[in-house]
Amino acid sequence: MLDAFAVIARACVYLGLLTAAGSILSALTFGAPLTGNAILRVRLGAGVAMMAVIVGVLVLLARLGGALDPAIASAVLSGPTGYAAGLFIGSAVLMTIATILPQGLRAVVATLGGLTGLMGFAVNGHAAASGIAPAGLVLVHACLVAWWIGALFLLETACREREDGSLSDLLQRFTRQATLMVLSLYAVGGVLLVVLIEGEAQRLVSSYGLGLLLKLSAVGSVFALVLWNRLRLTPRIAAGDPQAAGALLRNVRIELALIAVVLTATAAWTTLTSPH
Amino acid sequence: MRAHIVAALLVIGLSHAAPAYAHSKTQSVTPASGSILPSSPEEIVVTFNETARMTSAVVVSDGARDRKLEITPSGSAQSFTIQSPELGEGRNEIEWKALSKDGHVVSGSIIIVIDPGAEAVTAGEASGDHEHNGH
């Protein structure tokens, strides 16, 4: 039961923090003001992340022998787990405060808060234990994933508002920026994988490998969606079909849902399995 | 729809970056799990293969209440000492938990039998650690 709570808490940290930080980072790269729905996503994501961090720490303490034992709490919180929790909570507070600040200051404080939270992914875990370089790669990786989530939410909003000109413009910018992001994500992800399994491919033949398989299944679902878009949706958009935005909206939502599945699977995988 | 293709590639990139966690493991336990001793050892030393944070050790004995044992040091270290475990006669199982360097929970148990009439028999290699799930 505690294991299940640990997975849920971790998944909520991933989803909440990456959504909040991603909304900020994508607004920054698209030159869009942090307003309206983006503000709501930042507040909601930060709130979910903060609560999940607290629950996650309590669950961890319980699994270590006692959630209310000061000695255990001290031993845990004075290490990387505590540092990560501190960064996550500090980030959530900063991002939430940013949403009530004037526009110029808001962007600065929100970006600082978002990056602070993303650093939390880099200070704890095997990558952090492996050295500064892998930890840095995790930070970059988290930034890229967060941006991607935030950008999809921007697309989702644009589709809902059905402003064809702005949607088309946003789509073009998304594709342009995402090309750079995907190449970076590939490079960072590949290097991280090699570093973390220490170059020993046989470590993938395990429950760890099964977790990877499950994740790749979710990825396969996204591919199926992409094929559908290529074959059905793209021609309609090119032909100026007024209902194309609606179809795009549906697909963006499905992609976001699949990302949520991937992140949840990652939470379970990294919590419950080991290649050793 | 290039945007969707790029998005799908991003998913692939995300999956490629999934970390593989190597939990801490016990390198040695002194006296080793499985030992039969005429009296309680003065201390039990648990050494990991890397730094960890040992957070709890509880002795479970036949017919006695579970008893929490003191561990030193309280912070991060590679070797931890359970001072004066005061193990009772019969079978004693010491269940320990620790936070490994990568942030995962690891746990294990050490079984020591106290038999006043027996010659000391130290088990060869039986630390009895097993990994618990992550954090």
Side-chain angles (χ1 to χ4, degrees), chain A residues 2-273:
Chain A
L2 282 176
D3 293 345
F5 281 127
V7 170
I8 292 168
R10 178 177 269 211
C12 288
V13 172
Y14 285 175
L15 293 168
L17 211 121
L18 291 174
T19 297
S23 295
I24 293 163
L25 293 182
S26 59
L28 199 67
T29 64
F30 283 107
L34 197 61
T35 54
N37 286 328
I39 290 278
L40 292 178
R41 281 196 301 277
V42 169
R43 287 177 182 164
L44 182 63
V48 166
M50 191 185 301
M51 283 191 291
V53 167
I54 293 167
V55 170
V57 168
L58 289 174
V59 169
L60 176 63
L61 294 177
R63 293 169 70 213
L64 284 167
L68 302 176
D69 187 324
I72 295 177
S74 170
V76 171
L77 295 177
S78 62
T81 302
Y83 306 152
L87 287 170
F88 288 145
I89 290 175
S91 160
V93 170
L94 272 177
M95 289 191 290
T96 305
I97 289 173
T99 62
I100 58 171
L101 295 175
Q103 194 60 245
L105 192 57
R106 178 185 304 170
V108 175
V109 175
T111 304
L112 182 65
L115 291 175
T116 300
L118 294 170
M119 280 176 63
F121 292 110
V123 300
N124 193 27
H126 193 258
S130 300
I132 292 175
L137 289 173
V138 167
L139 174 60
V140 174
H141 179 70
C143 288
L144 292 169
V145 175
W147 175 88
W148 179 32
I149 293 171
L152 280 177
F153 271 116
L154 272 180
L155 270 182
E156 197 263 356
T157 302
C159 288
R160 268 192 292 116
E161 293 172 353
R162 306 285 178 95
E163 293 169 3
D164 293 340
S166 67
L167 175 59
S168 173
D169 178 54
L170 189 64
L171 263 174
Q172 285 180 9
R173 280 187 288 164
F174 175 81
T175 303
R176 211 166 35 241
Q177 292 186 21
T179 302
L180 176 65
M181 299 294 181
V182 72
L183 290 174
S184 305
L185 202 51
Y186 259 116
V188 172
V191 173
L192 254 182
L193 183 62
V194 171
V195 168
L196 293 177
I197 66 170
E198 295 166 349
E200 296 179 25
Q202 69 269 22
R203 289 184 178 178
L204 296 173
V205 186
S206 59
S207 54
Y208 169 82
L210 179 64
L212 181 63
L213 187 66
L214 289 173
K215 282 190 71 172
L216 288 175
S217 299
V219 172
S221 303
V222 177
F223 260 129
L225 183 64
V226 168
L227 279 176
W228 181 260
N229 290 336
R230 282 287 293 175
L231 296 174
R232 305 295 295 232
L233 188 57
T234 304
R236 286 170 57 193
I237 290 175
D241 185 339
Q243 294 185 340
L248 179 62
L249 172 62
R250 184 196 63 213
N251 288 349
V252 166
R253 284 176 174 170
I254 293 173
E255 286 173 41
L256 283 167
L258 285 170
I259 292 169
V261 169
V262 171
L263 291 177
T264 304
T266 304
W269 181 29
T270 57
T271 301
L272 302 176
T273 68

Side-chain angles (χ1 to χ4, degrees), chain A residues 3 10 63-64 69 75 78 125-126 141 148 178 182 186 189 196 208 219 226 229 234 248 255 269-271 274-276, chain B residues 1 4 6-12 14 16-22 53 55-56 68 74 97-98 102 104-105 133-135:
Chain A
D3 293 345
R10 178 177 269 211
R63 293 169 70 213
L64 284 167
D69 187 324
S78 62
H126 193 258
H141 179 70
W148 179 32
V182 72
Y186 259 116
L196 293 177
Y208 169 82
V219 172
V226 168
N229 290 336
T234 304
L248 179 62
E255 286 173 41
W269 181 29
T270 57
T271 301
S274 163
H276 294 178
Chain B
M1 175 113 267
H4 284 86
V6 169
L9 292 174
L10 278 160
V11 176
I12 297 285
L14 173 67
H16 280 189
Y21 291 105
R53 289 164 189 267
T55 55
S56 79
K68 193 172 177 183
S74 59
K97 292 179 180 175
D102 62 8
H104 284 236
V105 177
N133 310 314
H135 51 145

Side-chain angles (χ1 to χ4, degrees), chain B residues 31 64 68 100 110-111:
Chain B
K68 193 172 177 183
S100 77
I110 305 159
I111 295 169

